[in-house]
PDB file of all heavy atoms in Angstrom:
ATOM      1  N   TYR A  74     -50.963  -8.410 -17.328  1.00  0.00           N
ATOM      2  CA  TYR A  74     -51.026  -9.640 -16.548  1.00  0.00           C
ATOM      3  C   TYR A  74     -50.722 -10.890 -17.388  1.00  0.00           C
ATOM      4  O   TYR A  74     -50.368 -11.927 -16.869  1.00  0.00           O
ATOM      5  CB  TYR A  74     -52.358  -9.723 -15.794  1.00  0.00           C
ATOM      6  CG  TYR A  74     -53.346 -10.767 -16.242  1.00  0.00           C
ATOM      7  CD1 TYR A  74     -53.252 -12.063 -15.857  1.00  0.00           C
ATOM      8  CD2 TYR A  74     -54.466 -10.401 -17.042  1.00  0.00           C
ATOM      9  CE1 TYR A  74     -54.206 -13.016 -16.226  1.00  0.00           C
ATOM     10  CE2 TYR A  74     -55.398 -11.328 -17.406  1.00  0.00           C
ATOM     11  CZ  TYR A  74     -55.281 -12.625 -17.008  1.00  0.00           C
ATOM     12  OH  TYR A  74     -56.195 -13.566 -17.394  1.00  0.00           O
ATOM     13  N   LEU A  85     -48.893  -9.280 -12.142  1.00  0.00           N
ATOM     14  CA  LEU A  85     -50.249  -9.375 -11.575  1.00  0.00           C
ATOM     15  C   LEU A  85     -50.557  -8.220 -10.652  1.00  0.00           C
ATOM     16  O   LEU A  85     -51.661  -7.641 -10.708  1.00  0.00           O
ATOM     17  CB  LEU A  85     -50.381 -10.713 -10.821  1.00  0.00           C
ATOM     18  CG  LEU A  85     -50.245 -11.979 -11.684  1.00  0.00           C
ATOM     19  CD1 LEU A  85     -50.361 -13.222 -10.851  1.00  0.00           C
ATOM     20  CD2 LEU A  85     -51.304 -11.978 -12.786  1.00  0.00           C
ATOM     21  N   ALA A 112     -59.979 -12.667 -12.894  1.00  0.00           N
ATOM     22  CA  ALA A 112     -58.980 -13.454 -13.605  1.00  0.00           C
ATOM     23  C   ALA A 112     -57.574 -13.259 -12.977  1.00  0.00           C
ATOM     24  O   ALA A 112     -56.805 -14.186 -12.865  1.00  0.00           O
ATOM     25  CB  ALA A 112     -58.995 -13.124 -15.083  1.00  0.00           C
ATOM     26  N   VAL A 113     -57.274 -11.990 -12.641  1.00  0.00           N
ATOM     27  CA  VAL A 113     -55.946 -11.711 -12.074  1.00  0.00           C
ATOM     28  C   VAL A 113     -55.777 -12.408 -10.718  1.00  0.00           C
ATOM     29  O   VAL A 113     -54.727 -13.029 -10.442  1.00  0.00           O
ATOM     30  CB  VAL A 113     -55.741 -10.224 -11.948  1.00  0.00           C
ATOM     31  CG1 VAL A 113     -54.420  -9.903 -11.195  1.00  0.00           C
ATOM     32  CG2 VAL A 113     -55.680  -9.556 -13.314  1.00  0.00           C
ATOM     33  N   TYR A 114     -56.814 -12.326  -9.876  1.00  0.00           N
ATOM     34  CA  TYR A 114     -56.694 -13.010  -8.557  1.00  0.00           C
ATOM     35  C   TYR A 114     -56.659 -14.520  -8.692  1.00  0.00           C
ATOM     36  O   TYR A 114     -55.995 -15.205  -7.923  1.00  0.00           O
ATOM     37  CB  TYR A 114     -57.876 -12.563  -7.661  1.00  0.00           C
ATOM     38  CG  TYR A 114     -57.552 -11.308  -6.880  1.00  0.00           C
ATOM     39  CD1 TYR A 114     -58.166 -10.102  -7.213  1.00  0.00           C
ATOM     40  CD2 TYR A 114     -56.654 -11.320  -5.840  1.00  0.00           C
ATOM     41  CE1 TYR A 114     -57.858  -8.930  -6.496  1.00  0.00           C
ATOM     42  CE2 TYR A 114     -56.337 -10.192  -5.121  1.00  0.00           C
ATOM     43  CZ  TYR A 114     -56.946  -9.001  -5.436  1.00  0.00           C
ATOM     44  OH  TYR A 114     -56.614  -7.853  -4.738  1.00  0.00           O
ATOM     45  N   LYS A 115     -57.372 -15.050  -9.710  1.00  0.00           N
ATOM     46  CA  LYS A 115     -57.296 -16.492  -9.919  1.00  0.00           C
ATOM     47  C   LYS A 115     -55.866 -16.881 -10.362  1.00  0.00           C
ATOM     48  O   LYS A 115     -55.369 -17.927  -9.927  1.00  0.00           O
ATOM     49  CB  LYS A 115     -58.293 -16.885 -11.009  1.00  0.00           C
ATOM     50  CG  LYS A 115     -58.346 -18.379 -11.321  1.00  0.00           C
ATOM     51  CD  LYS A 115     -59.551 -18.716 -12.212  1.00  0.00           C
ATOM     52  CE  LYS A 115     -59.497 -20.120 -12.702  1.00  0.00           C
ATOM     53  NZ  LYS A 115     -58.495 -20.292 -13.756  1.00  0.00           N
ATOM     54  N   ARG A 116     -55.226 -16.057 -11.169  1.00  0.00           N
ATOM     55  CA  ARG A 116     -53.856 -16.324 -11.580  1.00  0.00           C
ATOM     56  C   ARG A 116     -52.910 -16.189 -10.396  1.00  0.00           C
ATOM     57  O   ARG A 116     -51.931 -16.950 -10.303  1.00  0.00           O
ATOM     58  CB  ARG A 116     -53.468 -15.365 -12.695  1.00  0.00           C
ATOM     59  CG  ARG A 116     -52.102 -15.679 -13.279  1.00  0.00           C
ATOM     60  CD  ARG A 116     -52.142 -16.981 -14.081  1.00  0.00           C
ATOM     61  NE  ARG A 116     -50.819 -17.368 -14.597  1.00  0.00           N
ATOM     62  CZ  ARG A 116     -49.945 -18.111 -13.956  1.00  0.00           C
ATOM     63  NH1 ARG A 116     -50.253 -18.603 -12.735  1.00  0.00           N
ATOM     64  NH2 ARG A 116     -48.773 -18.392 -14.495  1.00  0.00           N
ATOM     65  N   LEU A 117     -53.186 -15.279  -9.485  1.00  0.00           N
ATOM     66  CA  LEU A 117     -52.395 -15.165  -8.269  1.00  0.00           C
ATOM     67  C   LEU A 117     -52.477 -16.434  -7.430  1.00  0.00           C
ATOM     68  O   LEU A 117     -51.486 -16.876  -6.836  1.00  0.00           O
ATOM     69  CB  LEU A 117     -52.858 -13.951  -7.417  1.00  0.00           C
ATOM     70  CG  LEU A 117     -52.210 -12.577  -7.722  1.00  0.00           C
ATOM     71  CD1 LEU A 117     -52.915 -11.478  -6.958  1.00  0.00           C
ATOM     72  CD2 LEU A 117     -50.715 -12.621  -7.363  1.00  0.00           C
ATOM     73  N   TRP A 118     -53.686 -16.995  -7.376  1.00  0.00           N
ATOM     74  CA  TRP A 118     -53.843 -18.252  -6.652  1.00  0.00           C
ATOM     75  C   TRP A 118     -53.031 -19.354  -7.311  1.00  0.00           C
ATOM     76  O   TRP A 118     -52.374 -20.166  -6.633  1.00  0.00           O
ATOM     77  CB  TRP A 118     -55.332 -18.639  -6.607  1.00  0.00           C
ATOM     78  CG  TRP A 118     -55.580 -20.023  -6.148  1.00  0.00           C
ATOM     79  CD1 TRP A 118     -55.411 -20.531  -4.892  1.00  0.00           C
ATOM     80  CD2 TRP A 118     -56.038 -21.133  -6.948  1.00  0.00           C
ATOM     81  NE1 TRP A 118     -55.735 -21.873  -4.848  1.00  0.00           N
ATOM     82  CE2 TRP A 118     -56.113 -22.272  -6.111  1.00  0.00           C
ATOM     83  CE3 TRP A 118     -56.371 -21.246  -8.301  1.00  0.00           C
ATOM     84  CZ2 TRP A 118     -56.532 -23.508  -6.564  1.00  0.00           C
ATOM     85  CZ3 TRP A 118     -56.771 -22.511  -8.774  1.00  0.00           C
ATOM     86  CH2 TRP A 118     -56.856 -23.628  -7.893  1.00  0.00           C
ATOM     87  N   GLU A 119     -53.057 -19.396  -8.636  1.00  0.00           N
ATOM     88  CA  GLU A 119     -52.278 -20.429  -9.377  1.00  0.00           C
ATOM     89  C   GLU A 119     -50.769 -20.240  -9.113  1.00  0.00           C
ATOM     90  O   GLU A 119     -50.038 -21.226  -9.100  1.00  0.00           O
ATOM     91  CB  GLU A 119     -52.583 -20.339 -10.860  1.00  0.00           C
ATOM     92  CG  GLU A 119     -54.003 -20.764 -11.195  1.00  0.00           C
ATOM     93  CD  GLU A 119     -54.373 -20.456 -12.623  1.00  0.00           C
ATOM     94  OE1 GLU A 119     -53.607 -19.749 -13.318  1.00  0.00           O
ATOM     95  OE2 GLU A 119     -55.437 -20.902 -13.075  1.00  0.00           O
ATOM     96  N   ALA A 120     -50.357 -19.005  -8.951  1.00  0.00           N
ATOM     97  CA  ALA A 120     -48.911 -18.735  -8.760  1.00  0.00           C
ATOM     98  C   ALA A 120     -48.454 -19.008  -7.327  1.00  0.00           C
ATOM     99  O   ALA A 120     -47.342 -19.489  -7.114  1.00  0.00           O
ATOM    100  CB  ALA A 120     -48.577 -17.277  -9.128  1.00  0.00           C
ATOM    101  N   ASP A 577     -46.833 -24.078 -16.306  1.00  0.00           N
ATOM    102  CA  ASP A 577     -48.215 -24.404 -15.941  1.00  0.00           C
ATOM    103  C   ASP A 577     -48.511 -25.873 -16.077  1.00  0.00           C
ATOM    104  O   ASP A 577     -49.645 -26.291 -16.427  1.00  0.00           O
ATOM    105  CB  ASP A 577     -49.186 -23.615 -16.807  1.00  0.00           C
ATOM    106  CG  ASP A 577     -49.138 -22.125 -16.536  1.00  0.00           C
ATOM    107  OD1 ASP A 577     -48.903 -21.733 -15.367  1.00  0.00           O
ATOM    108  OD2 ASP A 577     -49.334 -21.315 -17.448  1.00  0.00           O
TER     109      ASP A 577
END
Side-chain angles (χ1 to χ4, degrees):
Y74 110 80
L85 295 178
V113 173
Y114 271 108
K115 181 170 171 286
R116 187 69 184 90
L117 271 172
W118 168 70
E119 293 170 350
D577 295 325

